[in-house]
Amino acid sequence: MTGSPIGVFDSGLGGLTVAREILDQLPQESVLYLGDTARTPYGPRPIAQVRRYALECLDRLVDHGVKALVIACNSASAAVLADARERYDVPVVEVIRPAVRRSMAVTRSGRIGVISTQATHQSRAYLDSFVAAPPGVQVWSQPCPRFVELVEEGVTSGPEVIETARAYLAPLQEQQIDTLILGCTHYPLLTSALQYVLGEEVTLVSSAAATAADLFRVLTDGGLLAGPDHRPEHQWLTTGDPQGFTFLARRFLGPEVEQVHRAFVGRAEERV
């Protein structure tokens, strides 16, 4: 299976930041990406619905013969990780625990903030992942639903972004955090604005970069790395409009997104 692709799933486009990190850290690997853009965003949806949608998409990737799955969506990771690891025979990597481990490695004061969608915030997935943290580590969670909308509108800088960031981050700044987890895969595209508002003394932890590093570890330990002579081939699937996906995906990822195909998932009576 070493030459098989890595399946990367997201509720929309944000997971392309994870795909970008995978291409950079594992350039010999093929990626099969599926974005459920017809049903995005997952953040405001009930957890049970997020779970069903995510498993439908993951099933589709497994049917394509992937050698590993990456749940590149914080809302889906919170809802479906345990089910996915029981359901599939391939390794499953998610975005929450790698970011938590990285934040504990870089914090100086033990005061850590997490920003995420409403669904991830309500699931307490990040807070629960800190249960084994060393004494003295304190964590605060802040939902930032407008950030996803801004990114998918292509607005990643300017007065509205700065004003929104200041409003969302103020409660975390009051707690004097020194580390901030970007708990949504859309948020790395707002890194400059977030760093501007928080100041250079706060370290930003990208779940995208941490997840790619964890995938490297999993593939290496499992003997699943593609050989140095393997020529990667990437495929891009969306449940929504391929043309609209292609335009925005090239903002996230660059020219690697050449041709996008429509994928059909879900129950027959409500297939998208």
Side-chain angles (χ1 to χ4, degrees):
M1 291 185 67
T2 57
S4 299
I6 297 161
V8 181
F9 156 69
D10 182 44
S11 60
L13 292 157
L16 290 168
T17 60
V18 178
R20 174 73 272 165
E21 291 287 345
I22 292 171
L23 295 182
D24 290 344
Q25 296 188 36
L26 293 157
Q28 77 278 15
E29 299 292 346
S30 299
V31 168
L32 172 59
Y33 184 93
L34 173 57
D36 192 8
T37 54
R39 300 183 292 194
T40 198
Y42 280 13
R45 296 184 183 276
I47 291 293
Q49 189 176 52
V50 171
R51 178 183 176 277
R52 178 164 68 86
Y53 286 176
L55 288 175
E56 288 170 354
C57 291
L58 294 169
D59 285 349
R60 179 65 186 270
L61 290 173
V62 170
D63 288 344
H64 276 274
V66 299
K67 66 180 179 182
L69 287 167
V70 178
I71 307 176
C73 172
N74 285 264
S75 299
S77 292
V80 81
L81 178 61
D83 296 301
R85 285 182 168 160
E86 290 183 2
R87 188 181 183 97
Y88 307 116
D89 293 330
V90 298
V92 180
V93 176
E94 44 84 33
V95 290
I96 293 175
R97 293 176 191 174
V100 167
R101 289 194 294 268
R102 181 61 184 161
S103 71
M104 288 193 287
V106 301
T107 184
R108 303 176 303 280
S109 67
R111 305 178 73 83
I112 300 171
V114 180
I115 56 175
S116 65
T117 65
Q118 191 67 42
T120 301
H121 172 74
Q122 291 177 339
S123 74
R124 294 181 57 86
Y126 273 97
L127 298 182
D128 291 345
S129 293
F130 278 97
V131 67
V137 171
Q138 294 178 277
V139 186
W140 294 268
S141 178
Q142 172 68 36
C144 304
R146 177 63 178 145
F147 280 165
V148 171
E149 297 169 359
L150 288 169
V151 169
E152 297 213 343
E153 291 165 8
V155 182
T156 56
S157 62
E160 183 180 7
V161 173
I162 297 299
E163 181 181 349
T164 303
R166 282 177 171 152
Y168 281 147
L169 297 175
L172 300 177
Q173 289 178 295
E174 290 176 4
Q175 300 298 334
Q176 299 181 317
I177 63 167
D178 78 341
T179 303
L180 180 70
I181 296 176
L182 310 186
C184 173
T185 51
H186 286 69
Y187 296 175
L189 278 87
L190 299 172
T191 294
S192 294
L194 296 171
Q195 197 76 74
Y196 175 81
V197 171
L198 290 169
E200 294 298 326
E201 65 274 12
V202 175
T203 301
L204 304 185
V205 173
S206 165
S207 57
T211 298
D214 201 48
L215 175 65
F216 180 94
R217 177 187 61 79
V218 167
L219 294 181
T220 300
D221 290 348
L224 293 171
L225 284 173
D229 297 327
H230 180 252
R231 298 184 63 181
E233 296 181 2
H234 309 307
Q235 300 179 66
W236 315 99
L237 304 175
T238 176
T239 59
D241 171 36
Q243 185 174 356
F245 182 95
T246 302
F247 175 77
L248 288 172
R250 285 176 178 163
R251 282 180 55 94
F252 280 73
L253 197 63
E256 285 87 351
V257 180
E258 296 178 356
Q259 189 171 10
V260 177
H261 297 282
R262 180 83 185 272
F264 295 92
V265 301
R267 300 171 179 173
E269 68 272 16
E270 55 183 36
R271 179 158 291 185
V272 295

